Amino acid sequence: GRGGGGRPPPRDLRRSEFRVNVTGLPPSCSWQDLKDFFRSAGDVIYTEVDRQGGGVVEFATKTDLDRALDLDDKEFKNPFDRCYIRVKVPGGGGGAGGGGR
């Protein structure tokens, strides 16, 4: 029969274009840690971590996103680790790095 199955559940209804990529996270960082850290910037609506030092954070508004970029190169702490993280807008500006100097 033709059931209406196979569709994923409607998770992430509020996915946003206001997102940043985070690098330099400790492997112990959870999505909750990331959310707590970026809550100081504004309304965090989604976070994920890849457990290899990378993460994604999405915000409700452009203002929140701009504040999140101010957290670039700030100290991230959780109960297990502390480190300095980098925060960037995905694919935006600057082109491919390099420059050979």
Side-chain angles (χ1 to χ4, degrees):
R2 288 202 327 250
R7 284 208 305 276
R11 189 177 159 264
D12 298 342
L13 287 178
R14 293 179 61 204
R15 291 304 293 270
S16 147
E17 75 260 42
F18 306 120
R19 75 177 58 153
V20 295
N21 287 345
V22 185
T23 53
L25 292 165
S28 62
C29 176
S30 69
W31 66 267
Q32 291 102 328
D33 293 334
L34 202 55
K35 187 167 190 169
D36 288 345
F37 181 81
F38 280 96
R39 203 173 277 144
S40 65
D43 185 10
V44 177
I45 60 176
Y46 178 82
T47 58
E48 70 179 46
V49 292
D50 63 15
R51 297 282 179 179
Q52 295 170 0
V56 176
V57 187
E58 297 186 5
F59 296 93
T61 70
K62 174 91 167 60
T63 308
D64 298 341
L65 171 70
D66 290 340
R67 279 201 292 260
L69 292 172
D70 291 339
L71 296 172
D72 182 40
D73 210 23
K74 291 283 192 291
E75 187 179 43
F76 171 90
K77 285 200 284 275
N78 70 10
F80 312 102
D81 289 294
R82 62 172 56 196
C83 57
Y84 286 85
I85 62 168
R86 304 308 313 247
V87 182
K88 294 188 172 51
V89 176
R101 270 207 264 282

